[in-house]
Structure formats: C-alpha cells, structure tokens
Amino acid sequence: MTHPCRIIGVLDNGVAGLTPEALAQLRAADVVIGARRTLALFTDEISADAERRDLTGHLPQVPVWIKAAREAGRQVAVLATGDPLCHGIASFLIGKLGREGVAVTPNLSTLQLACARLGLPWQNVRIASVHNRDAGEWSIGATPAHGLYPLLSVLRQSDLTAVFTSPENSPDRIARMLQIESLAGEFEMAVAECLLRDSERISDWLAIDAAAGRRFADPNIVLLRRCRPAAREALFGLPDERFNQRKPDKGLITKREVRAVSLARMALLPDSIVWDIGAGSGAVGLEAARLCPQGHVYAIEKNEADAAIALSNRASLRVSNYTLLHGRAPAGLENWPDPDAVLIGGSGGELRELIALCLRRLRPGGQLVMNFATLENLSTAVEALKAAGAQWDVLQLQAARSKPILDMHRMQAENPIWIVCAERGEGGPVDA
C-alpha cells in the first residue's frame, strides 16, 4: 500500500476553492469518497473510471473501503468540508488507518470564512461542534449523553465561541438551550449561512430570543459572544447566604466550613464524576460542579421542597453540569455512572446499604465523604465501613463564628459535625 489516502478539504465554491495540487490529487484518484452533495460539486473533475462512494450514513464503513482500495493498489481521495482536521473526518480516519496511511490537504475552515465575513479576529475563539446525530431539545439537568452538553460546557467558560452545526442541531435549537438555562441575556448570536454559495447570507448579531424563533438555511456556522463579562465568584466556600435554603431554624444547609473541608477530602479533579446523596439545598454538590467543569454531579434529594431549592440554586449559580433526581436513594443510582467521589449528606435510613453500594461503585482511588450531626449515624457508618474492609478516618469539625454584642464581639458555636472519609480497602469485602 504505497499511496496514502488523500483527504482533501473542499468548499462550496467547488473547483475554484482548490489549489492545483489538491485538484491534481482528486483527478488522479481511482476511488473518491464524500458526501452526496460534495461529490456532486466535483462531478466533472472526478475521473470517469473512478469509483464514487457516498459516505452519508456510512461513516464506520469508510476505513474499510479505504483499506480494501489501497490493498488493491488503488489511489483513494476523501472529500471533506473545509479543514478536515478541525472537527472533520481526518482525525477519525487517522485513528483507524494510522498517520502514515493518510495525507491531509486542508482548505480554509468555514470558521475562518465566517469570522472573515464578520470582520472578527478568531485567535481567541473556542471551537465546539454539534455536527452529530439529532440531540433533541435541551432540558434542565440533561446529562453528558445529550448532544448539546459539551457545547454548553464550553459556553460557560468562553467569551467567544464558534459552533459547527447540523440540520437538526440548528442555531435556533442552540438559542432555545440558552433560554432554558436562563442565559439568553448573556449572549448574542451571528449565523453564517451557505458560505460561498449564491445563497450565502450572514446575519448580524442577533438577540438569543430572536434567534430562537428563526430558521436558518443549512449548512451554517454559529458564532456566540458574551454581551458582558461573566460574573466572577469564588469556586467554592461561598457564603451560606449565597444559597437559597429552607429555614425552620438556622437553615438546612451544609455550612461553609464543613463544605470546604468536605470538598477538600473528596479530592476532586476537573473531570470528576460526583454523587451527592441527600443533596438538601445542593450547596456541596453545586460547588463540586464548579470545581469540576469537565465532570458532572449527579444529586438525589427525597424532600420535594429541598429538591426545588437545589434547582433554584443551580439556576442562580449558572451551573449546567449538575443533574438532580427527586427520589429516595438508593433507587435511581443504578442508572448513574461510577463515581470518582461520593458525598452522603443524608441517608433516609438507608445508611448501611448506601455505604456498601458506594464503596462497590467507586472508581479506583475514589473517595467517599459523609457528614453526620448525630452519634447514631456516626456509629452506624463506622460499623459499616469496618464490615466492608474500607480504609477510613473521622474528623470532628466544630466552628465558631464571631457575632456582634453591643460594641464588641463574641464567638457563637456551630453544631459539631463529624466528617467521615473512606475509600475501598484492598481485598476487603465491599458488599457488606
């Protein structure tokens, strides 16, 4: 197999957009693979003897076609839009065929063209793609399985974002996602439609509410920019007053000092998967989500009023990588991915079962952190951890906060909390 597969970047202006070298590669090919529309653009340039294959709906078969053609000594060209290494087919084919089996001839990216039309410098653009299968409309609490999830994660961290779309995952669908996430007022959208065609149209910057009700011609590329700088807050250790909370007494919330220590003991990484069992107001889980922008937090809360409060805090903090289930653990946990860290803030009387389940499901090196205010729950937890052969330790945390009294200050004690930290023991039983 002496000839590598040629991956040629093409645009909708057809032959006019190809260099002489790229055009020669196309004309010399014995097998030409591309989308139906792309093949039609180059009908007169493809050899009459060449085999033409439409890859639409057949992407997994493309490496098989290429290998078979190369083994037969035939030259292969794959036509790909723009720069094939920018959210294109080239990385997929290199992964299947190896770097030596592929030669890439890039073209201008449609991202570059869109920015050029808008006179917009693009060196700081974050690039995202929803050019995949129909993701469906966005909903609050959608998990990483949703096709728009990676885009929303990028938008949370970016001032200027370019998005490769698809007919189903369209600009108006993206705009509706921002509406649902209460972000419509923070972004504006420009859409470059049908670049290099006679029907090319470039929208000016649109309000998200306007874009949500408008249809755009395909193919298109979307640019999203912030209308104003994103609000800046500490990643964790926010004041208790920052969270909505149910207040029969002092407020049903994990206090700031306990949150800080618990999060530290969870040993979070940017991409950690976190379980928050007994979420309450959601304070710990939501701060964990902010510490893990490439990860996700799965929370469960049995009290309906508290679950509603946790969702209101999710909206207030503009957190998207957080899914809340209203229910009683352990029901529903079987559908969650294995965690890197688990926080048990409330057990609903199922503490032994939950400890065994969490230790069993923890990924290697994962941390189980539990907060208790009563001796009985502490005793139950320690017994369950011993029975499971876990490695564990207990920290008692008692904070006192200054309070004004006349023209002086006194210290007011918070309730003491036991923070129990555990990880799976080597060779110990985990299904006690």
Side-chain angles (χ1 to χ4, degrees):
M1 294 191 292
T2 56
H3 298 290
C5 168
R6 300 285 182 179
I7 305 177
I8 304 171
V10 300
L11 295 167
D12 277 345
N13 58 350
V15 175
L18 291 184
T19 64
E21 178 188 8
L23 188 57
Q25 292 171 356
L26 173 59
R27 289 170 174 168
D30 302 306
V31 179
V32 181
I33 302 170
R36 187 180 304 111
R37 181 179 62 83
T38 307
L39 291 170
L41 282 173
F42 297 93
T43 296
D44 296 337
E45 304 303 326
I46 300 172
S47 170
D49 298 327
E51 179 184 357
R52 307 176 191 210
R53 283 186 173 267
D54 179 7
L55 60 73
T56 306
H58 302 287
L59 184 60
Q61 284 75 51
V62 173
V64 179
W65 298 343
I66 295 171
K67 288 179 181 178
R70 293 183 67 216
E71 287 172 355
R74 307 173 78 188
Q75 297 188 46
V76 184
V78 177
L79 304 181
T81 301
D83 184 346
L85 282 167
C86 183
H87 287 279
I89 195 174
S91 59
F92 169 73
L93 293 180
I94 291 171
K96 297 293 184 180
L97 303 172
R99 191 181 68 179
E100 296 78 12
V102 169
V104 180
T105 302
N107 209 316
L108 288 173
S109 169
T110 51
L111 160 61
Q112 291 173 273
L113 288 170
C115 289
R117 297 292 193 265
L118 290 162
L120 188 67
W122 66 280
Q123 64 266 21
N124 294 321
V125 170
R126 290 284 300 273
I127 303 173
S129 176
V130 293
H131 189 74
N132 47 32
R133 64 181 179 3
D134 188 348
E137 292 292 318
W138 182 258
S139 60
I140 291 290
T143 70
H146 197 287
L148 299 184
Y149 183 95
L151 169 59
L152 185 57
S153 178
V154 170
L155 290 173
R156 296 283 191 191
Q157 304 168 60
S158 174
D159 292 328
L160 179 62
T161 306
V163 189
F164 294 100
T165 64
S166 67
E168 296 83 12
N169 302 326
S170 53
D172 55 303
R173 175 174 282 180
I174 294 169
R176 288 191 293 276
M177 175 184 70
L178 292 172
Q179 288 179 320
I180 291 167
E181 287 288 333
S182 301
L183 294 171
E186 297 187 20
F187 290 89
E188 56 186 356
M189 174 185 288
V191 184
E193 305 169 67
C194 304
L195 286 166
L196 298 177
R197 296 187 186 182
D198 292 339
S199 56
E200 177 181 306
R201 182 172 62 177
I202 311 296
S203 77
D204 205 348
W205 293 101
L206 303 169
I208 296 302
D209 289 338
R214 178 171 164 180
R215 293 298 298 173
F216 298 87
D218 188 73
N220 59 67
I221 187 165
V222 165
L223 288 155
L224 287 157
R225 70 180 180 187
R226 286 189 178 272
C227 304
R228 53 184 176 272
R232 293 172 60 86
E233 288 187 286
L235 288 175
F236 76 108
L238 294 172
D240 297 344
E241 296 75 22
R242 178 63 178 83
F243 298 93
N244 296 324
Q245 52 192 286
R246 188 157 54 95
K247 293 190 174 181
D249 182 19
K250 295 183 179 180
L252 295 178
I253 186 173
T254 302
K255 298 299 189 289
R256 182 191 232 174
E257 296 81 5
V258 178
R259 265 184 281 133
V261 175
S262 297
L263 288 164
R265 292 303 303 268
M266 290 164 73
L268 300 173
L269 297 173
D271 59 352
S272 289
I273 299 298
V274 180
W275 290 5
D276 183 6
I277 300 174
S281 67
V284 180
L286 289 166
E287 289 197 337
R290 301 177 81 212
L291 290 167
C292 306
Q294 286 88 52
H296 197 87
V297 175
Y298 296 85
I300 186 168
E301 173 53 50
K302 65 182 178 63
N303 183 282
E304 184 176 2
D306 286 338
I309 288 171
L311 288 177
S312 73
N313 285 323
R314 176 193 185 277
S316 174
L317 286 168
R318 302 287 198 269
V319 169
S320 57
N321 56 333
Y322 180 91
T323 300
L324 179 69
L325 174 65
H326 174 221
R328 188 186 187 94
L333 274 60
E334 68 277 4
N335 299 318
W336 291 357
D338 290 347
D340 298 291
V342 179
L343 175 78
I344 297 179
S347 62
E350 310 291 340
L351 185 56
R352 288 182 183 275
E353 180 181 356
L354 285 172
I355 288 173
L357 184 152
C358 292
L359 289 172
R360 187 165 60 246
R361 293 285 302 276
L362 273 174
R363 292 177 177 176
Q367 302 295 312
L368 169 61
V369 177
M370 297 172 278
N371 294 338
F372 300 118
T374 68
L375 288 165
E376 288 77 10
N377 278 340
L378 172 64
S379 176
T380 299
V382 170
E383 290 175 4
L385 292 170
K386 287 180 177 178
Q391 300 177 25
W392 58 274
D393 64 87
V394 179
L395 166 70
Q396 185 188 55
L397 185 64
Q398 183 166 12
R401 297 177 176 179
S402 63
K403 298 289 182 182
I405 177 170
L406 300 177
D407 59 344
M408 295 177 286
H409 288 79
R410 64 181 178 85
M411 299 303 294
Q412 179 172 303
E414 299 289 335
N415 289 331
I417 298 294
W418 287 277
I419 300 178
V420 182
C421 306
E423 56 185 302
R424 185 185 302 171
E426 295 183 8
V430 296
D431 54 357

